[in-house]
Amino acid sequence: MAEVIDQQAILAAAEDVMVRPVGGDALALISLRVAAGFLELVFRWNDYPQPLGYRVELPDTTDHPVWTRWAPQAVEEWVEYAVRFTLIEDMQTGLLQYGGRHFDGEVLWLEREPA
């Protein structure tokens, strides 16, 4: 039976997990928020001068595909893999150069699929 996942618990876990050091790269978190079913991260990456944004779909239950993909035992584990590791991997494999993007006047939002 599916359990409800508290999105505020995900936000709290992300506040702890996302400030951990990244070996070989610099990830500086600027802000986190929950908006319209997504966790929105604004951050700086290495020496790139523009604040960058990244959205991760949030699960609402333990049956949600973004939860079951990782099969975590706890919210913190889901954030570690679905948010932190995925963002770092995307950045290290060229998301900034090759991904979709749009600029909202302050933040350059990165997307895995071109817009």
Short mmCIF file of all heavy atoms in Angstrom, two decimals, residues 28-69:
data_model
loop_
_atom_site.label_atom_id
_atom_site.label_comp_id
_atom_site.label_asym_id
_atom_site.label_seq_id
_atom_site.Cartn_x
_atom_site.Cartn_y
_atom_site.Cartn_z
N ALA A 28 27.24 25.52 -5.18
CA ALA A 28 26.85 26.43 -4.10
C ALA A 28 25.34 26.67 -4.19
O ALA A 28 24.87 27.33 -5.12
CB ALA A 28 27.61 27.74 -4.19
N LEU A 29 24.61 26.13 -3.24
CA LEU A 29 23.16 26.28 -3.22
C LEU A 29 22.78 27.71 -2.86
O LEU A 29 23.28 28.26 -1.88
CB LEU A 29 22.56 25.29 -2.21
CG LEU A 29 21.06 25.20 -2.19
CD1 LEU A 29 20.52 24.66 -3.51
CD2 LEU A 29 20.63 24.29 -1.04
N ILE A 30 21.90 28.30 -3.64
CA ILE A 30 21.39 29.64 -3.37
C ILE A 30 20.02 29.56 -2.71
O ILE A 30 19.76 30.21 -1.72
CB ILE A 30 21.34 30.50 -4.66
CG1 ILE A 30 22.75 30.69 -5.22
CG2 ILE A 30 20.66 31.83 -4.39
CD1 ILE A 30 22.79 31.31 -6.60
N SER A 31 19.14 28.73 -3.29
CA SER A 31 17.80 28.60 -2.71
C SER A 31 17.15 27.28 -3.12
O SER A 31 17.54 26.67 -4.11
CB SER A 31 16.90 29.76 -3.13
OG SER A 31 16.62 29.70 -4.52
N LEU A 32 16.18 26.88 -2.33
CA LEU A 32 15.35 25.70 -2.58
C LEU A 32 13.91 26.08 -2.30
O LEU A 32 13.64 26.82 -1.36
CB LEU A 32 15.71 24.58 -1.60
CG LEU A 32 16.97 23.80 -1.80
CD1 LEU A 32 17.27 22.99 -0.55
CD2 LEU A 32 16.82 22.87 -2.97
N ARG A 33 12.99 25.52 -3.09
CA ARG A 33 11.58 25.71 -2.79
C ARG A 33 10.77 24.62 -3.47
O ARG A 33 11.22 24.02 -4.45
CB ARG A 33 11.08 27.09 -3.17
CG ARG A 33 10.91 27.30 -4.64
CD ARG A 33 10.38 28.69 -4.95
NE ARG A 33 10.03 28.76 -6.36
CZ ARG A 33 9.05 29.46 -6.85
NH1 ARG A 33 8.30 30.18 -6.05
NH2 ARG A 33 8.80 29.48 -8.13
N VAL A 34 9.57 24.40 -2.96
CA VAL A 34 8.61 23.50 -3.57
C VAL A 34 7.62 24.37 -4.33
O VAL A 34 7.06 25.31 -3.76
CB VAL A 34 7.89 22.64 -2.50
CG1 VAL A 34 6.76 21.85 -3.12
CG2 VAL A 34 8.88 21.71 -1.81
N ALA A 35 7.43 24.06 -5.62
CA ALA A 35 6.50 24.84 -6.44
C ALA A 35 5.88 23.93 -7.50
O ALA A 35 6.59 23.28 -8.26
CB ALA A 35 7.24 25.99 -7.11
N ALA A 36 4.57 23.88 -7.52
CA ALA A 36 3.80 23.18 -8.56
C ALA A 36 4.27 21.74 -8.77
O ALA A 36 4.42 21.29 -9.90
CB ALA A 36 3.85 23.96 -9.86
N GLY A 37 4.53 21.02 -7.68
CA GLY A 37 4.91 19.62 -7.78
C GLY A 37 6.37 19.37 -8.09
O GLY A 37 6.75 18.24 -8.41
N PHE A 38 7.19 20.40 -7.99
CA PHE A 38 8.62 20.27 -8.26
C PHE A 38 9.42 20.84 -7.10
O PHE A 38 8.98 21.77 -6.42
CB PHE A 38 9.01 21.04 -9.53
CG PHE A 38 8.51 20.39 -10.79
CD1 PHE A 38 7.24 20.68 -11.26
CD2 PHE A 38 9.29 19.49 -11.48
CE1 PHE A 38 6.76 20.08 -12.41
CE2 PHE A 38 8.82 18.88 -12.63
CZ PHE A 38 7.55 19.17 -13.10
N LEU A 39 10.61 20.30 -6.92
CA LEU A 39 11.61 20.90 -6.05
C LEU A 39 12.46 21.77 -6.97
O LEU A 39 13.02 21.27 -7.95
CB LEU A 39 12.47 19.83 -5.37
CG LEU A 39 13.57 20.35 -4.46
CD1 LEU A 39 12.97 21.08 -3.25
CD2 LEU A 39 14.47 19.20 -4.00
N GLU A 40 12.51 23.06 -6.69
CA GLU A 40 13.28 23.98 -7.51
C GLU A 40 14.55 24.37 -6.75
O GLU A 40 14.47 24.87 -5.63
CB GLU A 40 12.47 25.23 -7.85
CG GLU A 40 11.28 24.94 -8.72
CD GLU A 40 10.54 26.18 -9.17
OE1 GLU A 40 10.72 27.26 -8.56
OE2 GLU A 40 9.77 26.06 -10.14
N LEU A 41 15.68 24.14 -7.39
CA LEU A 41 16.98 24.49 -6.83
C LEU A 41 17.57 25.62 -7.64
O LEU A 41 17.56 25.57 -8.87
CB LEU A 41 17.94 23.30 -6.91
CG LEU A 41 17.57 22.03 -6.19
CD1 LEU A 41 16.79 21.12 -7.09
CD2 LEU A 41 18.81 21.35 -5.70
N VAL A 42 18.11 26.62 -6.97
CA VAL A 42 18.88 27.66 -7.62
C VAL A 42 20.27 27.57 -7.01
O VAL A 42 20.42 27.51 -5.79
CB VAL A 42 18.26 29.06 -7.43
CG1 VAL A 42 19.13 30.13 -8.07
CG2 VAL A 42 16.85 29.10 -8.03
N PHE A 43 21.29 27.54 -7.88
CA PHE A 43 22.64 27.27 -7.41
C PHE A 43 23.68 27.91 -8.33
O PHE A 43 23.36 28.39 -9.41
CB PHE A 43 22.87 25.75 -7.34
CG PHE A 43 22.78 25.06 -8.67
CD1 PHE A 43 23.92 24.75 -9.40
CD2 PHE A 43 21.54 24.73 -9.22
CE1 PHE A 43 23.83 24.13 -10.64
CE2 PHE A 43 21.45 24.09 -10.45
CZ PHE A 43 22.59 23.79 -11.17
N ARG A 44 24.91 27.90 -7.85
CA ARG A 44 26.04 28.29 -8.69
C ARG A 44 26.88 27.04 -8.92
O ARG A 44 26.99 26.19 -8.04
CB ARG A 44 26.88 29.37 -8.03
CG ARG A 44 26.15 30.69 -7.95
CD ARG A 44 27.12 31.85 -7.76
NE ARG A 44 26.40 33.09 -7.62
CZ ARG A 44 25.96 33.84 -8.64
NH1 ARG A 44 26.18 33.47 -9.86
NH2 ARG A 44 25.31 34.95 -8.42
N TRP A 45 27.45 26.94 -10.10
CA TRP A 45 28.25 25.77 -10.47
C TRP A 45 29.63 26.24 -10.91
O TRP A 45 29.75 27.01 -11.86
CB TRP A 45 27.57 25.00 -11.60
CG TRP A 45 28.28 23.77 -12.02
CD1 TRP A 45 29.00 23.61 -13.17
CD2 TRP A 45 28.36 22.53 -11.33
NE1 TRP A 45 29.52 22.34 -13.23
CE2 TRP A 45 29.13 21.66 -12.10
CE3 TRP A 45 27.85 22.07 -10.12
CZ2 TRP A 45 29.40 20.35 -11.71
CZ3 TRP A 45 28.11 20.77 -9.73
CH2 TRP A 45 28.88 19.92 -10.52
N ASN A 46 30.64 25.79 -10.20
CA ASN A 46 32.03 26.14 -10.49
C ASN A 46 32.17 27.65 -10.68
O ASN A 46 31.71 28.42 -9.84
CB ASN A 46 32.56 25.32 -11.67
CG ASN A 46 32.66 23.85 -11.34
OD1 ASN A 46 32.92 23.48 -10.19
ND2 ASN A 46 32.46 22.99 -12.31
N ASP A 47 32.76 28.08 -11.79
CA ASP A 47 32.97 29.51 -12.03
C ASP A 47 31.92 30.13 -12.94
O ASP A 47 32.08 31.27 -13.37
CB ASP A 47 34.36 29.73 -12.65
CG ASP A 47 35.47 29.35 -11.69
OD1 ASP A 47 35.28 29.49 -10.47
OD2 ASP A 47 36.54 28.89 -12.16
N TYR A 48 30.85 29.40 -13.27
CA TYR A 48 29.83 29.95 -14.14
C TYR A 48 29.18 31.14 -13.45
O TYR A 48 28.71 31.03 -12.31
CB TYR A 48 28.78 28.89 -14.50
CG TYR A 48 27.89 29.30 -15.63
CD1 TYR A 48 28.34 29.24 -16.94
CD2 TYR A 48 26.61 29.79 -15.39
CE1 TYR A 48 27.54 29.65 -18.00
CE2 TYR A 48 25.80 30.19 -16.44
CZ TYR A 48 26.28 30.12 -17.74
OH TYR A 48 25.48 30.53 -18.78
N PRO A 49 29.14 32.30 -14.09
CA PRO A 49 28.72 33.53 -13.40
C PRO A 49 27.22 33.66 -13.13
O PRO A 49 26.81 34.38 -12.22
CB PRO A 49 29.18 34.64 -14.35
CG PRO A 49 29.18 33.99 -15.70
CD PRO A 49 29.58 32.56 -15.46
N GLN A 50 26.39 32.98 -13.89
CA GLN A 50 24.93 33.12 -13.79
C GLN A 50 24.36 32.12 -12.78
O GLN A 50 24.74 30.97 -12.79
CB GLN A 50 24.32 32.85 -15.17
CG GLN A 50 22.85 33.04 -15.26
CD GLN A 50 22.47 34.49 -15.12
OE1 GLN A 50 23.09 35.35 -15.70
NE2 GLN A 50 21.46 34.75 -14.33
N PRO A 51 23.41 32.54 -11.93
CA PRO A 51 22.70 31.55 -11.11
C PRO A 51 21.95 30.58 -12.02
O PRO A 51 21.34 30.98 -13.01
CB PRO A 51 21.70 32.39 -10.29
CG PRO A 51 22.25 33.77 -10.32
CD PRO A 51 22.96 33.91 -11.63
N LEU A 52 22.02 29.31 -11.67
CA LEU A 52 21.40 28.25 -12.46
C LEU A 52 20.22 27.66 -11.70
O LEU A 52 20.25 27.59 -10.47
CB LEU A 52 22.41 27.16 -12.77
CG LEU A 52 23.66 27.62 -13.53
CD1 LEU A 52 24.72 26.53 -13.54
CD2 LEU A 52 23.28 28.04 -14.94
N GLY A 53 19.21 27.23 -12.42
CA GLY A 53 18.05 26.60 -11.81
C GLY A 53 17.86 25.20 -12.34
O GLY A 53 18.21 24.90 -13.49
N TYR A 54 17.28 24.33 -11.49
CA TYR A 54 17.08 22.92 -11.84
C TYR A 54 15.83 22.47 -11.12
O TYR A 54 15.66 22.76 -9.94
CB TYR A 54 18.31 22.15 -11.36
CG TYR A 54 18.41 20.70 -11.75
CD1 TYR A 54 18.91 20.33 -12.99
CD2 TYR A 54 18.08 19.69 -10.85
CE1 TYR A 54 19.06 19.00 -13.34
CE2 TYR A 54 18.23 18.36 -11.19
CZ TYR A 54 18.73 18.02 -12.43
OH TYR A 54 18.88 16.70 -12.77
N ARG A 55 14.96 21.77 -11.84
CA ARG A 55 13.71 21.30 -11.24
C ARG A 55 13.68 19.78 -11.22
O ARG A 55 14.06 19.13 -12.19
CB ARG A 55 12.51 21.81 -12.04
CG ARG A 55 12.28 23.29 -11.91
CD ARG A 55 11.04 23.73 -12.69
NE ARG A 55 10.78 25.13 -12.49
CZ ARG A 55 11.18 26.09 -13.32
NH1 ARG A 55 11.85 25.79 -14.42
NH2 ARG A 55 10.90 27.35 -13.06
N VAL A 56 13.19 19.25 -10.09
CA VAL A 56 13.05 17.81 -9.93
C VAL A 56 11.59 17.53 -9.56
O VAL A 56 11.06 18.12 -8.61
CB VAL A 56 13.97 17.29 -8.82
CG1 VAL A 56 13.77 15.80 -8.60
CG2 VAL A 56 15.42 17.61 -9.13
N GLU A 57 10.95 16.66 -10.32
CA GLU A 57 9.57 16.29 -10.02
C GLU A 57 9.51 15.62 -8.64
O GLU A 57 10.35 14.78 -8.31
CB GLU A 57 9.02 15.34 -11.07
CG GLU A 57 7.56 14.99 -10.87
CD GLU A 57 7.00 14.08 -11.95
OE1 GLU A 57 7.76 13.63 -12.83
OE2 GLU A 57 5.79 13.82 -11.90
N LEU A 58 8.51 16.01 -7.86
CA LEU A 58 8.36 15.45 -6.51
C LEU A 58 7.33 14.33 -6.50
O LEU A 58 6.26 14.44 -7.10
CB LEU A 58 7.90 16.55 -5.54
CG LEU A 58 8.94 17.62 -5.24
CD1 LEU A 58 8.30 18.74 -4.41
CD2 LEU A 58 10.13 17.03 -4.53
N PRO A 59 7.65 13.26 -5.78
CA PRO A 59 6.66 12.20 -5.62
C PRO A 59 5.66 12.59 -4.54
O PRO A 59 5.99 13.28 -3.59
CB PRO A 59 7.52 11.01 -5.15
CG PRO A 59 8.65 11.66 -4.40
CD PRO A 59 8.92 12.94 -5.13
N ASP A 60 4.40 12.15 -4.71
CA ASP A 60 3.41 12.41 -3.67
C ASP A 60 3.13 11.16 -2.85
O ASP A 60 2.66 11.23 -1.73
CB ASP A 60 2.12 12.98 -4.26
CG ASP A 60 1.57 12.13 -5.41
OD1 ASP A 60 2.18 11.10 -5.76
OD2 ASP A 60 0.53 12.52 -5.95
N THR A 61 3.46 9.99 -3.42
CA THR A 61 3.32 8.72 -2.69
C THR A 61 4.50 7.81 -3.03
O THR A 61 5.24 8.07 -3.99
CB THR A 61 2.02 7.97 -3.08
OG1 THR A 61 2.16 7.48 -4.42
CG2 THR A 61 0.78 8.83 -2.94
N THR A 62 4.62 6.74 -2.28
CA THR A 62 5.69 5.77 -2.53
C THR A 62 5.43 4.94 -3.77
O THR A 62 6.30 4.17 -4.18
CB THR A 62 5.89 4.86 -1.30
OG1 THR A 62 4.64 4.25 -0.97
CG2 THR A 62 6.43 5.63 -0.12
N ASP A 63 4.28 5.10 -4.42
CA ASP A 63 4.00 4.43 -5.69
C ASP A 63 4.36 5.30 -6.90
O ASP A 63 4.31 4.83 -8.03
CB ASP A 63 2.50 4.07 -5.80
CG ASP A 63 2.15 2.85 -4.99
OD1 ASP A 63 3.06 2.10 -4.59
OD2 ASP A 63 0.94 2.65 -4.75
N HIS A 64 4.69 6.55 -6.66
CA HIS A 64 4.99 7.48 -7.76
C HIS A 64 6.27 7.01 -8.48
O HIS A 64 7.23 6.61 -7.84
CB HIS A 64 5.18 8.89 -7.19
CG HIS A 64 5.17 9.96 -8.21
ND1 HIS A 64 6.20 10.17 -9.09
CD2 HIS A 64 4.23 10.89 -8.50
CE1 HIS A 64 5.91 11.19 -9.88
NE2 HIS A 64 4.72 11.64 -9.55
N PRO A 65 6.28 7.08 -9.81
CA PRO A 65 7.45 6.59 -10.57
C PRO A 65 8.78 7.25 -10.19
O PRO A 65 9.81 6.59 -10.24
CB PRO A 65 7.09 6.89 -12.02
CG PRO A 65 5.60 6.95 -12.04
CD PRO A 65 5.18 7.47 -10.70
N VAL A 66 8.78 8.54 -9.82
CA VAL A 66 10.06 9.16 -9.45
C VAL A 66 10.56 8.67 -8.09
O VAL A 66 11.73 8.82 -7.78
CB VAL A 66 10.02 10.71 -9.50
CG1 VAL A 66 9.70 11.20 -10.90
CG2 VAL A 66 9.10 11.31 -8.48
N TRP A 67 9.67 8.09 -7.30
CA TRP A 67 10.09 7.47 -6.03
C TRP A 67 10.55 6.03 -6.29
O TRP A 67 11.62 5.62 -5.86
CB TRP A 67 8.93 7.48 -5.03
CG TRP A 67 9.30 6.88 -3.71
CD1 TRP A 67 9.13 5.58 -3.32
CD2 TRP A 67 9.89 7.54 -2.59
NE1 TRP A 67 9.58 5.39 -2.05
CE2 TRP A 67 10.05 6.58 -1.57
CE3 TRP A 67 10.29 8.85 -2.35
CZ2 TRP A 67 10.60 6.89 -0.32
CZ3 TRP A 67 10.84 9.16 -1.11
CH2 TRP A 67 11.00 8.20 -0.12
N THR A 68 9.74 5.27 -7.02
CA THR A 68 10.04 3.85 -7.21
C THR A 68 11.29 3.63 -8.08
O THR A 68 11.93 2.59 -7.97
CB THR A 68 8.85 3.10 -7.84
OG1 THR A 68 8.52 3.70 -9.10
CG2 THR A 68 7.64 3.14 -6.92
N ARG A 69 11.65 4.61 -8.89
CA ARG A 69 12.87 4.48 -9.70
C ARG A 69 14.09 4.24 -8.82
O ARG A 69 14.99 3.51 -9.18
CB ARG A 69 13.07 5.74 -10.54
CG ARG A 69 14.36 5.73 -11.31
CD ARG A 69 14.51 6.93 -12.19
NE ARG A 69 15.77 6.82 -12.92
CZ ARG A 69 16.50 7.84 -13.24
NH1 ARG A 69 16.12 9.06 -12.94
NH2 ARG A 69 17.63 7.66 -13.89
#
